[in-house]
């Protein structure tokens, strides 16, 4: 009989930041195991549940018994299974004993390489009870839990102590034991709003009975309820919530029956930069700060409580009382930082180690200033200002506020520089040199800010690549992948007319000028960054062949990549594209086997009409292609190249390239080389060949 399975593991409060991940991983693992053992139906649906004190799931269409199955075990190959007389060798005899079959019950089969014996064993289907508890236990062991604990006098381990276990199949308890707990149908509701045990009569009752016990079992439904209540409360106060998806998930994992209340604090705290107040409320208290229509912080916040009461006054006042010391700390840090001065702290950067092979923060500041000046001057901006931004960009790392809230680096530098009378443009550049901080983040604005941002990321990339600290697998302790993507986005999306290879060399020179020994870095770092660009372009919807056609040439003007991609896309639509791509591939293969130095084609050595026609066509298109490429009109350059198809087809149909005469052969190879250079002026169109 098929019915729904319900599994619930009730525990002490689970880690809120990982609750959603734990729930989904647990459900996926159990579902996959039941499917592998053929207990589920084709239309079975798995639904995860998660609250602060339970991991649970339900799966529809689960059978009480497995179907009978034929298991096939592979034995030795025929060559080693039988001796010269045709009798079983010890290897085959051992296989038959382990499989519990006789020689007459064996079958022969082949895998395309060799023929071997197999034993087909009929296995009777077992009950769900024979598997379910072990499946749950194994799923718990696979959960991404960094640290486990023991409780009481047991040897069982889990992320938190576990108190009860439900294993139900429809209306029936499935006997089993997990983490020392026998399966049952009993659970508990809300810690304070519900009393007594809740008896789950059948799997269909679970969600409703928990709701009656003031628990919303579904993480997704509870999250939606929290979001709806927050929005409604904000609208009542004519405000909006500061965006915080991560906080919404965390709060959802902290409550079973969410209720939203509004609190407030003294308006005098609004003198502190609002980023500081928002961060301390969100990070330390899990509150949702409120903003006005212009994005300015209000002295109001929303509390997501786990208690529904008729008079929430005590809850609200208690939270207001708790938040004041946090806000007072923020104000104290802000006042002290301003008293101690900002630019004077720059002298202390030399006492802070950046990396034992890359010097101090003071050394790094000097490099950032030098690199930023170089980039700014290339962009036609004031190099002196850019250098000053680089020198001061990391000073706020030494402030009390950033020491307490590292997320505010750059942001506090801006506030402190404005306090000391610096221009908004200068202060903004210091803040924005960290951009983009994450995928989708805003880019730095203006040449000075872009120069500082590029300097920051290039110094890290070249420095760590130069001392052999490359990202490996999923490990990237220095954030080099993020830095590379940041450089690429700034160059491509701003866009900036800068050469990536030259930027890498500029950063390397700044490091070497301080006596820092670097391994060869230019080529491996360029390959690394283009690989990051490859992934970004795939996400943007470009096809792999178009991407490879452009990136195969290792372009270093990243600002021109998008235009080249668009041109190649347009070229693909031309009827000549496939034939020319195939011809380009053929020419490339021919030239690989030729001498590295080939002469320019000499018209006096041309014999065949077909090669004369191709020579004339290449001579005519060369200046046009060069002009279009120089003007970054790549689509027109490719259209001009499309016009050479007839001559190329005729050349390969009528002319033999590798003739015995070395002079004639060299001349024809020189002609193909000239054509090859034109065909690859925009992209390696051979990558478009099917």
């Amino acid at each position: 009989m098929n019915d729904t399975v319900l599994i619930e593991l009730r525990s002490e409060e689970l880690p809120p930041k990982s609750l959603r991940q734990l729930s989904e991983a647990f459900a996926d693992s159990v579902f996959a195991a039941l499917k592998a053992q053929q207990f589920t139906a084709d239309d079975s649906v798995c639904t995860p549940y998660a609250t602060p004190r339970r991991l649970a799931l339900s799966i529809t269409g689960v059978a009480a018994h497995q179907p009978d199955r034929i298991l096939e075990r592979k034995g030795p190959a025929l060559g080693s299974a039988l001796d010269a007389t045709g009798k079983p060798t010890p290897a085959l005899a051992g296989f038959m004993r382990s499989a519990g079959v006789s020689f007459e019950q064996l079958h022969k089969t082949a895998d395309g390489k060799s023929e071997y014996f197999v034993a087909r064993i009929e296995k009777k289907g077992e009950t769900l009870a024979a598997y379910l508890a072990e499946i749950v236990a194994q799923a718990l062991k696979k959960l991404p839990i960094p640290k486990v604990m023991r409780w009481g006098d047991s040897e069982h381990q889990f992320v938190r102590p576990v108190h009860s276990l439900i294993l139900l199949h429809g209306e029936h308890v499935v006997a089993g034991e997990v983490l020392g707990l026998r399966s049952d149908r009993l659970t508990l509701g809300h810690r304070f709003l519900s009393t007594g045990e809740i008896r789950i009569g059948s799997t269909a009752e679970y969600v409703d009975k928990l709701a009656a016990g003031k628990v919303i079992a579904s993480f997704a439904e509870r999250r939606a309820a929290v979001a709806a209540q927050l929005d409604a409360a904000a609208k009542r106060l004519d405000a909006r919530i500061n965006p915080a998806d991560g906080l919404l998930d965390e709060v959802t994992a902290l409550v079973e029956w969410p209720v939203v209340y509004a609190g407030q604090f003294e308006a005098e705290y609004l003198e502190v930069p609002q980023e500081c107040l928002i961060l301390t409320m969100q990070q330390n208290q899990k509150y949702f700060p409120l903003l006005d229509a212009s994005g300015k912080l209000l002295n109001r916040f929303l509390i997501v409580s786990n208690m529904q009461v008729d008079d929430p006054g005590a809850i609200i006042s208690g939270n207001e009382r708790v938040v004041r010391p946090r806000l007072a700390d923020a104000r104290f840090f802000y006042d002290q930082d301003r008293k101690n001065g900002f630019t004077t702290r720059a002298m202390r950067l030399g006492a802070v180690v950046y990396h034992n092979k890359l010097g101090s923060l003071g050394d790094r500041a000097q490099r950032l200033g030098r690199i930023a000046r170089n980039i700014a001057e290339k962009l036609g901006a004031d190099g002196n200002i850019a250098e000053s931004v680089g020198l001061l960009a990391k000073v706020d790392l030494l402030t009390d506020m950033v020491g307490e809230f590292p997320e505010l680096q750059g942001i506090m530098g801006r506030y402190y520089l404005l306090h000391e009378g610096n221009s908004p443009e200068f202060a903004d550049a210091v803040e924005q040199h960290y951009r983009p901080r994450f995928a989708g983040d805003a880019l730095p604005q203006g040449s000075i800010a872009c120069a500082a941002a590029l300097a920051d990321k290039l110094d890290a990339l070249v420095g760590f690549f130069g001392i052999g600290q490359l990202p490996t697998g999923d490990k990237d302790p220095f954030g080099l992948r993020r830095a590379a993507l940041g450089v690429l986005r700034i160059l491509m999306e701003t866009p900036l007319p800068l050469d990536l290879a030259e930027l890498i060399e500029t950063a390397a020179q700044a490091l070497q000028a301080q006596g820092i020994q670097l391994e060869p870095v230019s080529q491996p770092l360029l390959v690394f960054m283009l690989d990051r660009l490859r992934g970004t372009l795939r996400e943007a919807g470009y096809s792999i062949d178009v991407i490879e056609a452009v990136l195969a040439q290792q372009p270093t003007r990243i600002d021109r990549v998008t235009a080249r991609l668009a041109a190649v896309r347009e070229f693909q639509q031309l009827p000549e594209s496939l034939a020319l791509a195939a011809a380009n591939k053929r020419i490339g293969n021919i030239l690989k086997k030729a001498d590295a130095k080939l002469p320019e084609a000499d018209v006096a050595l041309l014999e065949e009409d077909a090669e004369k026609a191709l020579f004339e066509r290449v001579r005519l298109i060369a200046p046009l292609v060069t002009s279009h490429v120089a003007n970054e009109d790549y689509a027109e350059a490719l259209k001009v190249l499309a016009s050479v198809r007839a001559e190329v087809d005729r050349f390969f149909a009528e002319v033999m390239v590798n003739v015995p005469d070395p002079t004639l052969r060299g001349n024809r190879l020189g002609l193909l080389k000239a054509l090859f250079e034109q065909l690859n002026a925009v992209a390696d169109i051979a990558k478009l060949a099917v």
Side-chain angles (χ1 to χ4, degrees), residues 14 21 42 92 106 145 161 213 227 236 302 417 466 560 591 594:
L14 295 161
Q21 181 186 13
D42 291 340
L92 182 59
L106 291 175
I145 300 172
R236 286 195 297 270
L302 297 179
L417 285 168
R560 296 172 176 171
L591 294 177

Side-chain angles (χ1 to χ4, degrees), residues 553-620:
Q553 298 177 323
Q554 292 196 341
T556 55
R557 281 293 299 271
I558 307 302
D559 57 312
R560 296 172 176 171
V561 166
T562 302
R564 288 176 183 264
L565 290 165
V568 173
R569 268 183 172 176
E570 189 174 331
F571 175 73
Q572 272 189 315
Q573 307 307 313
L574 299 177
E576 300 90 350
S577 63
L578 286 179
L580 282 176
N584 193 46
K585 186 174 183 178
R586 182 178 179 182
I587 295 170
N589 290 332
I590 292 172
L591 294 177
K592 285 178 184 177
K593 300 174 183 178
D595 294 335
K597 293 182 179 180
L598 290 171
E600 290 187 11
D602 184 349
V603 65
L605 297 175
L606 302 176
E607 295 183 350
E608 305 288 343
D609 289 342
E611 62 179 327
K612 293 177 181 177
L614 181 60
F615 177 88
E616 184 62 22
R617 174 62 69 176
V618 171
R619 187 184 66 80
L620 289 173

Side-chain angles (χ1 to χ4, degrees), residues 27 32 35 140 184 239 305 347 367 396 434 644 665:
K35 186 175 182 180
L140 293 175
D184 203 340
S305 173
M347 294 181 291
R367 298 197 299 268
D396 69 352
Y434 283 105
V644 79
R665 181 174 65 249

Side-chain angles (χ1 to χ4, degrees), residues 9 56 63 92 203 449 453 457 514 520 522 548 579 608:
L9 202 71
L92 182 59
T203 54
K457 294 162 183 59
Q514 293 180 343
S522 297
E548 293 305 320
E608 305 288 343

Side-chain angles (χ1 to χ4, degrees), residues 637-657:
L638 288 173
K639 287 180 182 177
V640 171
L641 288 170
S643 68
V644 79
R645 177 189 172 178
E647 287 80 3
V648 170
D649 289 347
R650 184 184 174 192
F651 178 88
F652 281 117
E654 300 179 10
V655 178
M656 178 179 289
V657 177

Side-chain angles (χ1 to χ4, degrees), residues 208-220:
D208 291 339
K209 284 209 169 182
L210 278 186
K214 300 299 183 183
V215 174
I216 300 175
S218 167
F219 187 96

Side-chain angles (χ1 to χ4, degrees), residues 33 58 92 116 134 139 149 152 211 221 236 266 288 293 310 320 485 509 536 541 600 622 629 633:
S58 67
L92 182 59
Y116 54 89
E134 181 60 22
M149 61 185 296
E221 291 179 12
R236 286 195 297 270
E266 290 77 5
F288 289 82
D310 294 333
E320 291 174 343
L485 288 171
Q509 289 174 359
T536 298
E600 290 187 11
V629 170
D633 194 350

